[in-house]
Amino acid sequence: MAGFTNLLKAGMSVMTRPVKAKNTPLHLQIEPSTFCNLKCGFCVREKNVFTPVHMPFERFKEVFDQTQPMRVTFAGDGEPTMCPDLFEMIKLVVDHGAKAIITSNGTLGPDLVDKILDSGLSAMRISIDAATAKTYQAMRLADYHGTIIDGIKKLQAEKKKRGLNRPDIGFEYVVGRDNFHEMEAVVDLACELELCRVNFRPLNLVGIEEREEELLGGITQEQYHQGLRDTNNYAKSKNLATNLDEIISLLPFYDERYKEDFNPENKSPDCIYPWVQIYVAIDGKVTPCCALQMDEKVDFGNIFRDGFDRVWNGESYTTLRGEMKRNYSPYKSCVTCEGRSLGKVTDLALRTPGFLKRNKS
């Protein structure tokens, strides 16, 4: 009952946009580890992480107990599955009736099948960024493509053996120069593996603007847009869900946000995240989403030092809510935010994010 009451309060917050929220966040994004076994050329991790650490279970429980979300996503600058306490964290989430999601590079998948299924995990987003091993090596500078595919096959087979529908599995696909030509092929791969979705992400240059030529050189804006449109049509012909309708609608904002004379005040961001979610970095720093913390180094307070209540309705949060209420944000990442509708409240609470079907155990 308390969860339903909070959901109603969150819906009211999204509709009325108060600077102080009476609800607690529906969604907690949290960084369980800053260790990673990859060094991808398009990742900002090397600018953010100098001494990697894991979050201990007690720290996670402290955050979870204060926020009491309906959904938890484990993601950040590191690889979540490298955290020794991750599956204990997931069990805590599931035991409290909330949904647990991992965004993972999938490289440890073959060794984690039993732990994943035993944990009650709701969904896995696997960042693959390639349909072939050759392109994967170009994107991620490592040879794990076969390992990832093997892990997914083992996980899907064991799900069927146990009669489980969860976790839902989908691909994340960051679109750059080296993998632009494989977008339709990754749709085929997802269908072959019986995945539920592919989320395509235009490569984010915030924080790594100097790598634009290296990561995107040789593709014209028109080619990039047409490739996304063609892939969207192809995925629909295969009955595979993607986020491409939304991404294509945001392309004018993607095209503008890297310009030197970019003025975010003219771009009318309409993001609901400051009212319904919280991102907690491994050191306790808080922002409304991971992009503001990892890409733009924003700090809204520290949940370990200040406590949730003082952060959630503190000066930084209330200031941003007031600015967004008048369709302004000082942050580049906000103009391409996908959290733009009241319908997202339902997604945050009742469904796994970006996946179409509900999870069943």
Side-chain angles (χ1 to χ4, degrees):
M1 185 63 185
F4 182 72
T5 300
N6 190 53
L7 174 60
L8 292 178
K9 289 180 179 179
M12 287 300 298
S13 287
V14 170
M15 288 189 289
T16 61
R17 308 292 175 102
V19 294
K20 289 193 174 183
K22 294 182 179 179
N23 59 288
T24 55
L26 302 178
H27 182 204
L28 166 65
Q29 291 180 298
I30 194 161
E31 183 175 55
S33 178
T34 51
F35 281 87
C36 190
N37 57 342
L38 296 177
K39 293 184 178 181
C40 306
F42 54 86
C43 183
V44 299
R45 179 177 177 275
E46 67 179 37
K47 293 188 175 183
N48 296 342
V49 179
F50 303 101
T51 304
V53 294
H54 298 302
M55 179 177 286
F57 173 78
E58 292 74 19
R59 277 298 202 187
F60 170 75
K61 186 176 186 302
E62 180 182 342
V63 176
F64 184 82
D65 288 346
Q66 290 185 71
T67 55
Q68 288 293 302
M70 302 182 79
R71 190 187 85 182
V72 179
T73 297
F74 296 93
D77 270 321
E79 167 52 36
T81 58
M82 295 184 74
C83 175
D85 293 339
L86 176 67
F87 291 100
E88 187 179 2
M89 296 173 183
I90 293 172
K91 186 177 185 304
L92 176 70
V93 172
V94 174
D95 286 349
H96 280 76
K99 296 182 182 299
I101 297 95
I102 296 174
T103 299
S104 170
N105 62 30
T107 59
L108 304 180
D111 300 323
L112 298 175
V113 169
D114 288 334
K115 286 185 176 181
I116 289 169
L117 295 181
D118 291 344
S119 72
L121 185 70
S122 300
M124 285 191 73
R125 299 163 165 171
I126 297 177
S127 302
I128 194 167
D129 305 321
T132 64
K134 180 180 178 181
T135 298
Y136 184 90
Q137 289 180 352
M139 289 292 292
R140 293 195 167 255
L141 311 178
D143 185 15
Y144 282 106
H145 194 267
T147 301
I148 295 169
I149 302 305
D150 287 345
I152 293 171
K153 288 180 177 178
K154 288 180 181 180
L155 184 56
Q156 296 286 55
E158 187 63 20
K159 279 169 59 179
K160 291 179 181 178
K161 182 179 177 181
R162 297 192 189 190
L164 299 176
N165 289 325
R166 53 95 186 135
D168 278 343
I169 307 170
F171 280 150
E172 294 282 319
Y173 195 93
V174 176
V175 184
R177 179 190 64 188
D178 292 326
N179 68 351
F180 178 75
H181 63 290
E182 286 191 357
M183 288 191 290
E184 292 186 9
V186 87
V187 169
D188 288 333
L189 180 60
C191 291
E192 176 188 335
L193 295 171
E194 300 182 85
L195 305 191
C196 65
R197 189 176 184 89
V198 178
N199 283 332
F200 292 90
R201 305 293 179 192
L203 196 147
N204 181 9
L205 292 171
V206 175
I208 53 170
E209 289 86 352
E210 73 279 3
R211 299 182 189 172
E212 180 174 4
E213 181 60 29
E214 169 193 350
L215 298 171
L216 289 173
I219 305 174
T220 67
Q221 187 179 98
E222 291 73 20
Q223 289 172 326
Y224 199 90
H225 291 191
Q226 190 60 49
L228 294 174
R229 288 192 289 267
D230 290 344
T231 303
N232 192 27
N233 291 332
Y234 186 70
K236 288 179 178 179
S237 76
K238 296 287 186 176
N239 293 315
L240 181 72
T242 74
N243 63 335
L244 283 171
D245 280 336
E246 192 163 23
I247 292 297
I248 290 168
S249 74
L250 293 172
L251 285 175
F253 299 104
Y254 278 105
D255 295 339
E256 290 288 327
R257 74 175 182 176
Y258 298 114
K259 293 183 178 180
E260 290 185 6
D261 61 348
F262 173 77
N263 180 2
E265 189 162 9
N266 296 329
K267 304 306 171 187
S268 300
D270 188 25
C271 177
I272 67 169
Y273 289 157
W275 288 272
V276 296
Q277 82 170 16
I278 189 170
Y279 176 80
V280 180
I282 201 156
D283 58 1
K285 290 181 181 176
V286 170
T287 51
C289 69
C290 58
L292 293 187
Q293 200 278 330
M294 291 189 288
D295 299 338
E296 304 202 40
K297 313 299 186 296
V298 180
D299 182 358
F300 277 36
N302 192 298
I303 197 168
F304 299 142
R305 181 193 65 221
D306 305 322
F308 167 72
D309 292 333
R310 289 181 62 189
V311 174
W312 182 238
N313 281 314
E315 182 179 357
S316 296
Y317 254 101
T318 56
T319 298
L320 182 62
R321 288 176 185 139
E323 290 172 335
M324 284 194 166
K325 190 169 184 177
R326 62 183 182 90
N327 291 329
Y328 169 74
S329 170
Y331 308 117
K332 288 183 178 181
S333 297
C334 291
V335 300
T336 47
C337 179
E338 293 179 45
R340 291 171 173 255
S341 70
L342 182 59
K344 284 285 182 179
V345 174
T346 303
D347 285 341
L348 287 166
L350 302 179
R351 298 190 298 185
T352 49
F355 295 85
L356 297 182
K357 57 190 177 183
R358 294 194 185 187
N359 300 297
K360 298 177 182 178
S361 58

